[in-house]
Amino acid sequence: MEKLKIILLILICAFTSSMLAQEKTITGTVYDTSDRPVVGASILIKGTTKGTTSDFDGNYTIKANKKDVLEISYVGFITQEVVVNEQTKININLQEDISQLEEIIVVAYGTQKKEMITSSIVNIKSEKLKDITTPDVTTMLQGKVAGVRLGASSGSPGSVPNILIRGSSSLGGRVTPLWVVDGVIQHSIPIVNPNDVQSVSVLKDASATSLYGSRGANGVVIVTTKRGTSGKSEISVSSKVAINTFNTGKFEVMDSAQLYEYHTQFSNSQPWFTPELLNRNYDWIENGTQDGFVKDVNVSFTSGTEKLKLYINGGYYNETGTLRGNELDRYTYRMNLDYDITQRLKLSPKLSFSFDNRDKIAEAPLYELYLNLPWDNPFDAEGKPINAQEDSNWLGRDQRNYLYDQQWNYASDNTFNLSSNFDFEYQIIPNLVFKSVNNFTYYRYKSKTYTDPRSIAGLANGGSIRDVVAERFTKLTTQTLRYSNTYGEHSVTALGGYEYNDYEFENVDVTGNGIVAGTEVLNVASETGEIRGLKNDYALQSFFLSADYGYSNRYFVKASIRRDGASNFGLDNQYGNFFALGAGWNIHNEAFFDSKVVNEFKLRLSYGSVGNRPSSLYPYQGTYRLNTQYIGTPGAVLDQLGNPDLSWEKTYEANIAIDTRLFDRVSATFEYYNKDTSDLLYFVDLPDVTGYSGFWENVGGLTNTGYEAAISVDVIQNKNFEWNLGFNIGFNKNEVTELFDGQTEIPRGSKIFKIGEDSSSWYIRKWLGVDPDNGNPLWEVVDPDTGERTETSNWNDATLQVVDASSPDFIGGFDSRLSYKNISLSANFNFSKGGKLYNGARELFDSDGFYSTFNQQVLADDWNRWEKPGDIATHPLAVEGGNNNSNKRSSRYLEDASYLRMTNVTLSYNLPQNVLNKIGISNFNVYVAGDNLLTFTKYSGVDPAVTGNPNDPNNIGLSGSPGLTYPIPKRYVLGVNVSF
């Protein structure tokens, strides 16, 4: 019996030893579809409770037998199963669950699971961005994010709109958001090929932006570019062609007959005004505009192994403008490499560049196309451009035929942008990772303006050559240490970092006069013209900490702090501290919550502070100018009064939000925010007698409060047919709450900062219409003592007062996406309600006879001109030389800029998979599309979406004074995408 026990014991030990010998250690990494590490993925041995989770780098280790099946899962992704067999290293690429596309969100300095988000962040995937033909990322966001307003300044090729997130939060500082591309803070709006974009995250509240400190005061836009894919090599080619058409909106100038009739209304007394003019009808608009063409080609290559992943893309974009002579050539390149040198060390070098070229451009000037008379023909009997100053038949006031000078004169410019990264990550110990981002950017701009000595513009100086060269260098280094781990139902992430960024800019602007016709280099000039130059720099240094804690997928808390130092401020106030707190509660994960209707119900709360710097790089310093001289001797002139006490502008923002999903079909987010900005930075003008132009000061405060909503509905979801509807809207109220030195208002031209009013309020004479008795203009007079309001026909007597604002009441967008089998149809709309644009062009085109030798605007359908006593009219009596200054600046030309625009409509077709397999390609997609085809508005100008002009001194596109607008064109597109 004793021997039997010993034998059984030996057999049991041998069997156990055999079993243990079969068990082995499995390692690997879990990635998402973009090859980003998946943090916290569950790896289980199927049928058991034995498992582990992936760390911050997506790495995991587990012991298993070769017959075991690993079950890998993560919220928002399809669960995958892998048989171990003989493998000891198993990497997994999880595929996104089509019903939860936005579970992984790009946030400040990393990524985060959607369920853990406590801030206001909107993440948009690339497939929802590429529904409009554009060479820039900014335009792709139009109407897609609640509370995000785009302000365009032009529709010319290469022009980029500005973005305003949740209203304007400054009076003298920057109001547009910070841009971050692959972790690199950008100096301005970056040039990124839309084909390279993987996703865009818009960070809106202080909790989301606080880790960027003073740079996040106006929101942050994070662009993530594409990466190589493990185990897959693919070449993709995308090509599209498009036709642009000149879009004048509701604006129309008169032809010969219409203008003749207009002149008869005020009995034109000029000797040249005869019926013979009706035989002359040159269409300046028709002959100065054209159908433009767009060519957009991209070739990309992606590849990857377990250790090395590569993405390369080269792009070419060419667009001829709808104004003759306007053309852009853009070349782009991007290379992203990820190389796992060891299991701990990963290198991620990146290189990208763009080159814009506009060569020998002689663009038709929009100003002259609109204003020149149809009675003036620019060509003689032989078809040669005439010199208007020597032509006795030329009637236009300016006596300028732009085609005459354009025989010879031109301008060329090119811009080169280079960005180079050397990034790496090192896992010090499990769950603790050091990451280093190191970037260098170089910007170079060159332009040449040639003025021929035979041209009118060259007569005064014998012709000229002007060369401008500008260079900018920026360096950025960001070093972070991140710890991430889970302890049962507890999850903890902590991040600490240091960041340094500096900038240097220099330009040289030289003109040489007296040249031989046809020469292009400065040393042919017989004399030196104007010589100018500029040099400036800045530096920023920052330290930051953040921590995230989650419990049981129900409760989440976030805290962060950042200390920023900026060269804009003196030593006493050089550093500012900014913080944020956030909390989230997934109520739907509570045991007491049991609903078949509500699939998700989350509450988010956050509060934080961010800072802002002034637009000036040297605001605290007393400065003088040396760009003056007296009899050849250099001199110094006082310029800016110093203010060593100048401090940071600070914004404190509270945000409360509800995220929900109903019936597993309807997703909705509702948010309320309150942004309170204090110590507003503003340049205070001083009287000339002081010798100074002014000084920078912290002048007061303003608030922005608003509501936002975003709703997405999966109307139909089945195998062959899908239909999704989306809608977003944002309301914002802006109000000045405090001003400098106890003042209640600070006038600034046609606008004013006034306590209790919007910071974009118009300060202008109020138009009351037309006197029905005599057809004279009427304005309002307000008695300063009694407040009594009366009428006057004398513009000088009218009272300057607040008349509305350029900020819209609300903005938003909606979209529809239908797909049936391999066919899809999508349409996107954006809208803006309220807000007044100053249509200043009407001072010239709608002048009631003041500019009798300029062409005039055709009256809109609901406008009419006074003719006899008793007429109720919108327009005064037309009088040669003008009617009592009726066309001078007043609210007459303030117009409601509300509009609804179809941004894009696209019909596409994907070749079936069985056909693709036969011809040996992986994807073939062809589509037709239209951009900006329909716009519904009462605005009488060219384009209500163009809300500023390129000459705005700050924050281009947001001034509310578009001037003579280069309209955004209508576009018809044909495109194809092929992958193999």
Side-chain angles (χ1 to χ4, degrees):
M1 189 66 180
E2 192 66 30
K3 288 182 178 181
L4 181 59
K5 290 181 179 179
I6 294 173
I7 293 171
L8 287 173
L9 182 60
I10 292 172
L11 289 173
I12 291 171
C13 290
F15 179 75
T16 303
S17 176
S18 175
M19 291 294 293
L20 290 173
Q22 292 179 30
E23 194 172 58
K24 55 187 175 181
T25 300
I26 309 298
T27 61
T29 307
V30 183
Y31 299 99
D32 63 14
T33 52
S34 300
D35 282 327
R36 291 190 298 262
V38 176
V39 182
S42 172
I43 300 93
L44 284 173
I45 297 176
K46 189 174 181 179
T48 73
T49 58
K50 184 178 180 182
T52 186
T53 57
S54 59
D55 62 20
F56 177 73
D57 288 324
N59 299 324
Y60 72 91
T61 301
I62 192 171
K63 290 188 176 182
N65 298 316
K66 65 178 182 179
K67 292 183 179 181
D68 286 340
V69 176
L70 298 186
E71 191 176 70
I72 302 96
S73 62
Y74 187 72
V75 176
F77 291 85
I78 299 171
T79 299
Q80 292 192 29
E81 295 182 357
V82 180
V83 180
V84 173
N85 291 328
E86 303 300 328
Q87 302 175 89
T88 57
K89 185 175 181 63
I90 302 175
N91 291 336
I92 301 295
N93 275 87
L94 292 177
Q95 301 299 310
E96 290 177 324
D97 187 335
I98 61 172
S99 64
Q100 301 180 56
L101 287 173
E102 296 181 346
E103 289 296 332
I104 299 297
I105 307 296
V106 178
V107 298
Y109 300 99
T111 60
Q112 197 170 26
K113 289 194 294 184
K114 183 182 177 182
E115 67 173 0
M116 298 179 67
I117 296 291
T118 62
S119 310
S120 183
I121 300 174
V122 177
N123 183 258
I124 312 171
K125 302 294 184 182
S126 59
E127 59 268 19
K128 292 187 178 180
L129 290 168
K130 295 179 182 177
D131 51 12
I132 188 166
T133 301
T134 176
D136 69 275
V137 177
T138 311
T139 305
M140 297 163 68
L141 297 174
Q142 180 76 61
K144 292 184 172 68
V145 183
V148 174
R149 170 187 163 202
L150 266 65
S153 62
S154 171
S156 65
S159 62
V160 179
N162 252 321
I163 291 182
L164 196 63
I165 299 177
R166 292 185 168 180
S168 176
S169 298
S170 182
L171 301 183
R174 178 175 172 173
V175 300
T176 54
L178 174 73
W179 285 79
V180 179
V181 179
D182 289 335
V184 177
I185 292 172
Q186 306 294 304
H187 172 72
S188 57
I189 299 176
I191 295 177
V192 178
N193 186 337
N195 198 70
D196 290 335
V197 176
Q198 179 65 34
S199 68
V200 175
S201 287
V202 180
L203 283 56
K204 296 192 287 186
D205 71 338
S207 177
T209 65
S210 63
L211 269 188
Y212 292 107
S214 64
R215 307 182 123 184
N218 305 297
V220 180
V221 181
I222 301 177
V223 178
T224 303
T225 61
K226 295 177 181 177
R227 317 305 287 263
T229 304
S230 179
K232 183 179 181 182
S233 295
E234 185 175 76
I235 296 177
S236 298
V237 180
S238 66
S239 177
K240 68 177 71 171
V241 292
I243 297 176
N244 292 340
T245 62
F246 189 71
N247 176 22
T248 59
K250 291 183 175 294
F251 181 80
E252 182 184 357
V253 291
M254 296 179 178
D255 62 18
S256 178
Q258 291 169 319
L259 189 62
Y260 189 87
E261 181 184 358
Y262 168 74
H263 277 251
T264 60
Q265 294 178 33
F266 52 78
S267 302
N268 191 321
S269 61
Q270 301 299 322
W272 50 260
F273 184 68
T274 66
E276 187 271 338
L277 293 174
L278 293 172
N279 298 323
R280 298 154 65 176
N281 188 23
Y282 187 80
D283 192 334
W284 287 91
I285 298 290
E286 175 67 24
N287 289 278
T289 62
Q290 63 186 358
D291 286 340
F293 292 90
V294 176
K295 296 184 287 288
D296 188 4
V297 181
N298 286 272
V299 179
S300 62
F301 172 72
T302 59
S303 183
T305 64
E306 289 186 0
K307 286 184 171 294
L308 188 145
K309 301 172 189 66
L310 176 66
Y311 171 81
I312 297 176
N313 182 67
Y316 171 69
Y317 182 91
N318 171 269
E319 182 178 352
T320 54
T322 52
L323 278 182
R324 293 186 185 276
N326 190 318
E327 183 173 2
L328 168 69
D329 276 308
R330 173 171 291 173
Y331 303 85
T332 58
Y333 172 82
R334 179 172 298 275
M335 185 275 293
N336 291 338
L337 177 66
D338 296 290
Y339 181 37
D340 295 328
I341 294 181
T342 68
Q343 202 169 6
R344 289 187 171 187
L345 180 61
K346 176 182 177 181
L347 299 183
S348 300
K350 303 176 185 71
L351 179 69
S352 65
F353 71 76
S354 67
F355 179 75
D356 287 2
N357 187 51
R358 302 173 189 264
D359 188 33
K360 294 190 175 180
I361 297 298
E363 181 181 325
L366 198 59
Y367 172 88
E368 294 179 46
L369 296 186
Y370 284 139
L371 291 180
N372 282 348
L373 298 174
W375 302 325
D376 290 328
N377 192 320
F379 300 104
D380 61 19
E382 297 178 358
K384 296 180 180 179
I386 64 173
N387 183 343
Q389 295 182 359
E390 299 175 352
D391 183 22
S392 60
N393 290 321
W394 195 274
L395 304 178
R397 189 196 72 170
D398 293 347
Q399 289 190 298
R400 173 170 162 76
N401 174 18
Y402 75 89
L403 290 166
Y404 182 78
D405 277 13
Q406 278 196 359
Q407 296 177 94
W408 309 287
N409 298 350
Y410 65 86
S412 298
D413 68 73
N414 61 68
T415 305
F416 179 73
N417 282 280
L418 173 69
S419 177
S420 177
N421 269 52
F422 182 74
D423 304 343
F424 65 90
E425 297 180 14
Y426 182 73
Q427 181 178 310
I428 301 172
I429 57 175
N431 306 313
L432 182 63
V433 177
F434 173 75
K435 183 175 182 179
S436 178
V437 174
N438 306 281
N439 174 263
F440 171 86
T441 65
Y442 170 69
Y443 161 92
R444 186 209 65 199
Y445 171 81
K446 293 176 65 177
S447 75
K448 181 183 294 293
T449 304
Y450 171 81
T451 305
D452 195 277
R454 294 166 289 183
S455 68
I456 296 172
L459 291 177
N461 55 16
S464 64
I465 297 171
R466 180 187 179 191
D467 282 347
V468 179
V469 178
E471 289 185 319
R472 180 180 71 224
F473 299 89
T474 62
K475 298 189 292 292
L476 171 80
T477 181
T478 306
Q479 315 300 319
T480 59
L481 196 62
R482 183 187 297 264
Y483 176 80
S484 181
N485 206 353
T486 57
Y487 304 91
E489 293 189 299
H490 305 271
S491 63
V492 177
T493 299
L495 173 74
Y498 168 80
E499 191 165 76
Y500 177 82
N501 185 200
D502 63 22
Y503 153 100
E504 294 180 8
F505 175 85
E506 184 173 5
N507 85 328
V508 177
D509 184 346
V510 181
T511 300
N513 297 327
I515 62 172
V516 176
T519 53
E520 292 189 333
V521 291
L522 280 169
N523 66 350
V524 305
S526 60
E527 63 179 25
T528 303
E530 188 173 17
I531 300 176
R532 291 179 291 185
L534 174 69
K535 186 174 184 179
N536 55 41
D537 57 7
Y538 69 72
L540 294 165
Q541 178 175 250
S542 307
F543 307 86
F544 54 91
L545 290 168
S546 75
D548 291 86
Y549 169 76
Y551 174 71
S552 186
N553 291 332
R554 289 179 289 166
Y555 314 113
F556 303 97
V557 179
K558 176 184 177 66
S560 66
I561 187 169
R562 178 166 174 138
R563 181 169 174 81
D564 272 348
S567 60
N568 301 67
F569 300 102
L571 294 178
D572 292 341
N573 296 304
Q574 201 158 58
Y575 281 87
N577 300 317
F578 311 101
F579 71 93
L581 299 170
W585 180 20
N586 283 335
I587 302 173
H588 60 275
N589 284 337
E590 293 287 359
F592 63 78
F593 192 91
D594 184 15
S595 173
K596 295 181 180 180
V597 173
V598 182
N599 311 107
E600 176 187 340
F601 190 73
K602 180 178 181 178
L603 176 66
R604 290 186 281 113
L605 301 168
S606 67
Y607 182 78
S609 67
V610 285
N612 201 4
R613 296 174 293 133
S615 55
S616 169
L617 297 182
Y618 314 102
Y620 73 95
Q621 294 177 325
T623 62
Y624 55 89
R625 293 184 290 110
L626 287 170
N627 59 344
T628 186
Q629 54 86 29
Y630 179 71
I631 318 178
T633 303
V637 177
L638 293 174
D639 186 21
Q640 176 179 283
L641 180 65
N643 180 6
D645 296 324
L646 190 70
S647 183
W648 295 81
E649 193 173 275
K650 303 177 185 68
T651 297
Y652 295 88
E653 181 174 4
N655 194 88
I656 180 169
I658 293 175
D659 302 319
T660 187
R661 185 168 176 83
L662 311 174
F663 306 104
D664 204 25
R665 285 182 179 271
V666 181
S667 297
T669 295
F670 304 96
E671 300 199 52
Y672 166 79
Y673 62 88
N674 184 302
K675 295 167 63 177
D676 186 3
T677 306
S678 59
D679 294 327
L680 287 167
L681 293 160
Y682 185 70
F683 187 78
V684 179
D685 294 323
L686 288 174
D688 293 339
V689 69
T690 66
Y692 293 98
S693 60
F695 65 98
W696 282 91
E697 180 62 281
N698 298 102
V699 302
L702 61 80
T703 61
N704 284 275
T705 56
Y707 302 88
E708 296 171 355
I711 301 171
S712 176
V713 183
D714 299 322
V715 182
I716 300 174
Q717 288 288 334
N718 59 46
K719 183 178 180 181
N720 292 323
F721 187 31
E722 295 182 359
W723 183 20
N724 176 268
L725 294 174
F727 173 83
N728 72 80
I729 190 169
F731 298 81
N732 183 78
K733 179 176 174 55
N734 178 284
E735 182 180 340
V736 177
T737 57
E738 183 185 355
L739 288 174
F740 168 66
D741 201 23
Q743 297 180 76
T744 59
E745 58 184 47
I746 301 177
R748 52 189 191 105
S750 295
K751 288 196 170 182
I752 190 172
F753 296 138
K754 184 174 182 178
I755 292 178
E757 301 289 347
D758 192 296
S759 62
S760 69
S761 293
W762 293 106
Y763 186 61
I764 205 164
R765 289 168 172 84
K766 187 174 182 179
W767 173 259
L768 294 182
V770 180
D771 189 329
D773 295 330
N774 54 26
N776 288 338
L778 293 174
W779 295 276
E780 186 172 81
V781 178
V782 182
D783 189 295
D785 299 321
T786 65
E788 180 185 3
R789 298 176 183 270
T790 56
E791 298 175 349
T792 182
S793 289
N794 188 328
W795 181 85
N796 291 299
D797 291 342
T799 303
L800 285 169
Q801 57 183 296
V802 173
V803 186
D804 220 304
S806 60
S807 301
D809 300 326
F810 60 84
I811 55 174
F814 57 92
D815 64 86
S816 171
R817 299 174 186 272
L818 284 160
S819 65
Y820 177 71
K821 294 186 177 179
N822 297 314
I823 300 175
S824 64
L825 174 66
S826 67
N828 292 282
F829 296 80
N830 75 91
F831 57 83
S832 176
K833 176 65 173 68
K836 296 292 181 69
L837 295 183
Y838 187 78
N839 191 358
R842 286 180 56 196
E843 294 180 7
L844 306 176
F845 303 124
D846 192 10
S847 65
D848 307 320
F850 188 88
Y851 292 105
S852 59
T853 49
F854 282 168
N855 203 349
Q856 293 295 294
Q857 181 177 1
V858 175
L859 298 188
D861 292 339
D862 56 348
W863 291 354
N864 64 305
R865 188 173 296 282
W866 190 93
E867 296 179 356
K868 61 184 184 302
D871 283 351
I872 305 301
T874 58
H875 283 55
L877 173 69
V879 178
E880 186 176 6
N883 186 342
N884 294 290
N885 292 319
S886 64
N887 69 316
K888 294 196 74 172
R889 184 158 289 233
S890 75
S891 66
R892 174 185 181 182
Y893 300 131
L894 283 181
E895 295 191 41
D896 185 353
S898 301
Y899 72 89
L900 168 64
R901 168 167 287 176
M902 178 188 280
T903 313
N904 171 268
V905 59
T906 301
L907 177 65
S908 69
Y909 175 74
N910 290 306
L911 214 59
Q913 191 61 49
N914 59 337
V915 178
L916 295 175
N917 294 336
K918 290 179 182 179
I919 60 179
I921 62 177
S922 57
N923 174 65
F924 183 91
N925 169 263
V926 62
Y927 61 92
V928 291
D931 298 340
N932 308 313
L933 299 186
L934 297 173
T935 301
F936 304 93
T937 183
K938 291 184 177 180
Y939 180 63
S940 73
V942 173
D943 194 337
V946 178
T947 56
N949 66 76
N951 299 317
D952 293 340
N954 294 306
N955 303 312
I956 292 172
L958 299 170
S959 68
S961 299
L964 280 166
T965 301
Y966 191 136
I968 298 172
K970 294 183 180 180
R971 183 170 291 164
Y972 304 88
V973 186
L974 172 64
V976 62
N977 301 308
V978 183
S979 300
F980 51 91

